[in-house]
């Protein structure tokens, strides 16, 4: 029997909802921007006012953010009549923030610690998928380097070696041969590059095909699927160079048709939510399935338990409905009250402006000019990801991914052109971007879905 963490007594959507938004990146700026458009919003609070984009939209909760001291945020929620906490990033969810904050008066958008294992423990996620026959790569799980090495040396095909825990997207190594796989095992398990995240590794068969992300709101039993999108993880144009947190994203991703989306819902999302329920877990929040469209159909590469960053930034500017209402209904277990989420038929292309050197070392504190000019362009939205306000009030760079520039257009090409024109209005030392977001979309490859 599923454990009900949240009180099912909440029936009606409140007229006004006071919201605390957790997280301080571009994804959270986009969430704040869209939540602010809701007629149901009371006060909007942020745990991360150091992001100038978020600070312009939300009031600071006035305490440093710490999952270990979640009781302080819980007190804040009680004193300020917070109806909903929206958690952007995965770390606080994996650390149990939703468990610590949820009460009968404060709902949380974001899964419990137990449910967050879907992202925070790839070995656990693999076992869950296997138990429910959810299509995913064949994999073996190892807890010691010796047996892992013996396994990869016995194989001739390429494998993918993954640290089981959270590693900011850097713990996955796609290997061409056994030597590379042995080196990957060494980095994760012997040199412990990702710390405890490498206590277990998943060694997976190497799959092939275009990738696509499917995000859905899940309220425990109901699923509301969002438009498909795709991010570009590699640093360089033509999908070359090292993996990053994401250099851009676009939606909708034409590689999945409406029929394909039904297939994904039926074969992947619903069985996953059901499998979680069988484990006694009621999943409430965003479920993100990273898929590879292989010739044998779509297979799950990974689950995330929150909006993708920068996928969120290319989805929300297209969302027509009331995001806050949808997030609240998700957290309240009442998603059936939302018919569907209506998306603008136009395309959105989000380009990340990064600091030179990212994903390695980079300089901070470079002044940025031209944000207002870019943001003032028609069909453009600019989100702050890694910026700060210096003592003189200037906006400066403060992270690897600095700004997210989203362009909208009738076609993906038009959306990209609009985004690029806006990017060109923004200046800072070391500005690095990809001008090809949404051009290398698995050209010509169609998955054998039906
Ligand atoms: P993940 O964080 O698990 O999504 O992995 C990051 C990236 O590694 C994915 O976006 C894929 O490009 C690649 N990848 C992960 N698993 C596989 C796999 N089984 N076969 C091929 N590529 C993979
Ligand atoms: N853009 C991929 C992620 O958010 O994990």
């Amino acid at each position: 029997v599923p454990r009900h963490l949240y009180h099912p007594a909440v029936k009606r959507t409140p007229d006004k909802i006071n919201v605390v938004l957790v997280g301080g990146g571009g994804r959270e700026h986009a969430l704040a921007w869209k939540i602010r458009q809701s007629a149901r919003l009371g006060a909007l609070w942020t745990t991360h006012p150091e992001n100038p984009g978020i600070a312009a939209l939300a009031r600071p909760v006035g305490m440093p953010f710490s999952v270990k001291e979640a009781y302080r945020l819980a007190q804040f929620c009680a004193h300020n009549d917070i109806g909903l906490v929206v958690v952007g990033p995965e770390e606080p969810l994996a650390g149990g923030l939703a468990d610590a904050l949820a009460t009968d008066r404060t709902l949380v958008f974001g899964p419990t610690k137990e449910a967050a294992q879907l992202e925070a423990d790839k070995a656990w996620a693999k076992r869950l998928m296997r138990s429910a026959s959810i299509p995913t790569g064949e994999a073996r799980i190892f807890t010691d380097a010796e047996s892992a090495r013996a396994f990869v040396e016995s194989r001739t095909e390429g494998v993918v070696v993954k640290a089981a825990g959270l590693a900011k997207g850097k713990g996955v190594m796609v290997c061409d041969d056994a030597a590379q796989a042995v080196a990957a095992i060494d980095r994760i398990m012997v040199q412990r590059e990702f710390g405890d995240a490498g206590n277990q590794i998943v060694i997976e068969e190497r799959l092939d095909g275009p990738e696509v992300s499917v995000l859905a709101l899940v309220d425990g039993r109901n699923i509301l699927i969002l438009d498909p999108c795709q991010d570009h993880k590699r640093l360089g144009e033509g999908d070359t160079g090292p993996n990053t947190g994401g250099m851009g994203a676009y939606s909708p991703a034409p590689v999945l048709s409406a029929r394909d989306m039904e297939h994904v819902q039926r074969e992947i999302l619903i069985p996953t939510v059901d499998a979680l329920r069988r484990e006694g877990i009621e999943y409430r929040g965003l479920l993100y399935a990273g898929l590879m469209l292989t010739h044998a159909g779509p297979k799950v590469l990974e689950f995330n338990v929150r909006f993708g960053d920068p996928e969120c930034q290319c989805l929300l500017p297209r969302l027509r409905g009331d995001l806050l209402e949808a997030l609240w209904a998700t957290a309240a277990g009442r998603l059936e009250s939302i018919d569907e989420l209506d998306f603008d038929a136009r395309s959105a292309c989000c380009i990340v402006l990064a600091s030179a050197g990212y994903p390695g070392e980079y300089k901070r504190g470079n002044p940025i000019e031209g944000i207002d000019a870019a943001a003032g362009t028609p069909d453009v939205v600019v989100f702050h990801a890694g910026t700060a306000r210096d003592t003189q009030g200037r906006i400066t760079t403060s992270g690897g991914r600095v700004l997210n520039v989203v362009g909208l257009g009738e076609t993906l090409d038009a959306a990209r052109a609009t985004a690029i024109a806006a990017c060109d209005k923004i200046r800072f030392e070391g500005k690095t971007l990809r001008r090809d977001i949404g051009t290398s979309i698995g050209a010509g490859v169609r998955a054998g879905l039906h």
Side-chain angles (χ1 to χ4, degrees):
V1 181
R3 254 189 328 134
H4 289 267
L5 174 71
Y6 306 90
H7 280 242
V10 199
K11 286 265 153 49
R12 250 190 48 244
T13 317
D15 293 334
K16 289 287 176 195
I17 308 170
N18 295 328
V19 177
V20 169
L21 174 64
V22 174
R27 165 182 51 208
E28 289 77 24
H29 184 190
L31 286 165
W33 172 80
K34 191 66 194 173
I35 288 171
R36 272 293 292 266
Q37 296 171 17
S38 170
R40 290 197 191 269
L41 181 65
L44 178 61
W45 300 89
T46 172
T47 55
H48 289 74
E50 63 276 10
N51 178 319
I54 297 174
L57 300 169
R59 294 151 72 177
V61 296
M63 65 183 83
F65 179 70
S66 148
V67 179
K68 286 206 180 82
E69 293 186 25
Y71 68 91
R72 294 182 62 199
L73 196 54
Q75 282 169 359
F76 177 91
C77 291
H79 290 153
N80 292 280
D81 190 25
I82 300 302
L84 184 69
V85 179
V86 178
V87 186
E90 63 276 18
E91 292 93 347
L93 294 167
L97 187 66
D99 312 66
L101 297 183
T103 67
D104 54 349
R105 295 183 58 208
T106 304
L107 304 181
V108 180
F109 180 85
T112 59
K113 178 177 180 152
E114 204 183 8
Q117 290 177 95
L118 209 47
E119 173 168 2
D121 185 348
K122 286 181 191 288
W124 189 90
K126 206 46 137 178
R127 289 194 203 97
L128 185 92
M129 285 188 266
R130 206 179 276 157
S131 77
S133 304
I134 292 158
T136 183
E138 287 297 322
R140 296 269 306 260
I141 297 157
F142 295 92
T143 48
D144 71 285
E146 192 97 2
S147 356
R149 263 187 235 117
F151 174 70
V152 295
E153 276 164 355
S154 74
R155 291 192 43 123
T156 47
E157 297 92 43
V159 295
V160 182
V161 179
K162 304 182 176 186
L166 290 181
K168 295 199 188 308
K170 292 172 194 156
V172 173
M173 294 163 215
V174 180
C175 307
D176 294 324
D177 52 39
Q180 284 181 10
V182 167
I185 294 164
D186 192 63
R187 282 176 60 190
I188 298 173
M189 294 205 115
V190 182
Q191 295 167 44
R192 299 183 58 76
E193 223 170 272
F194 309 100
D196 286 348
N199 286 350
Q200 281 196 87
I201 50 174
V202 175
I203 302 184
E204 193 170 302
E205 71 175 307
R206 186 168 165 181
L207 302 170
D208 193 30
E211 288 181 47
V212 64
S213 305
V214 177
L215 285 67
L217 300 176
V218 177
D219 76 347
R221 52 186 87 220
N222 302 296
I223 294 171
L224 205 57
I225 203 160
L226 312 186
D227 267 9
C229 50
Q230 194 176 44
D231 71 342
H232 289 269
K233 290 196 173 84
R234 300 295 201 92
L235 176 69
E237 290 184 358
D239 289 326
T240 55
N243 266 321
T244 70
M247 291 299 288
Y250 63 94
S251 77
V255 72
L256 279 187
S257 67
R259 263 186 83 195
D260 298 338
M261 290 294 272
E262 271 168 36
H263 175 95
V264 168
Q265 174 150 343
R266 200 176 54 243
E267 303 295 327
I268 293 170
L269 298 177
I270 293 173
T272 301
V273 174
D274 285 348
L276 287 165
R277 288 180 72 83
R278 281 198 296 276
E279 298 281 319
I281 296 172
E282 195 159 279
Y283 190 101
R284 294 193 183 181
L286 190 120
L287 179 60
Y288 168 132
L291 307 176
M292 190 165 263
L293 306 180
T294 74
H295 288 291
K299 295 192 177 182
V300 177
L301 298 181
E302 64 164 344
F303 283 119
N304 293 325
V305 297
R306 34 78 194 176
F307 279 101
D309 185 344
E311 290 89 330
C312 183
Q313 292 89 308
C314 74
L315 279 169
L316 295 189
R318 295 184 52 237
L319 181 63
R320 283 221 179 97
D322 187 323
L323 177 68
L324 176 53
E325 220 166 75
L327 299 180
W328 190 88
T330 302
R334 302 193 59 242
L335 211 42
E336 73 278 1
S337 67
I338 311 272
D339 293 338
E340 64 172 325
L341 285 179
D342 195 19
F343 282 90
D344 191 331
R346 290 181 300 167
S347 289
C349 178
C350 170
I351 298 180
V352 172
L353 297 182
S355 297
Y358 173 79
E361 293 296 308
Y362 52 84
K363 191 171 159 260
R364 293 163 204 253
N366 291 330
I368 309 172
E369 277 162 28
I371 297 178
D372 290 343
T377 318
D379 298 325
V380 170
V381 198
V382 179
F383 297 119
H384 290 250
T387 70
R389 202 176 278 282
D390 70 8
T391 47
Q392 294 147 56
R394 289 179 311 181
I395 303 283
T396 63
T397 64
S398 75
R401 291 191 288 174
V402 178
L403 291 162
N404 307 142
V405 179
V406 186
L408 289 157
E410 294 302 326
T411 62
L412 182 53
D413 286 340
R416 183 186 321 105
T418 300
I420 288 175
C423 287
D424 287 339
K425 293 181 181 169
I426 297 175
R427 295 175 306 279
F428 61 88
E429 194 189 308
K431 183 178 92 174
T432 304
L433 70 151
R434 281 184 60 172
R435 293 172 187 272
D436 67 339
I437 302 303
T439 55
S440 55
I441 44 181
V445 190
R446 276 293 296 144
L449 292 186
H450 303 290

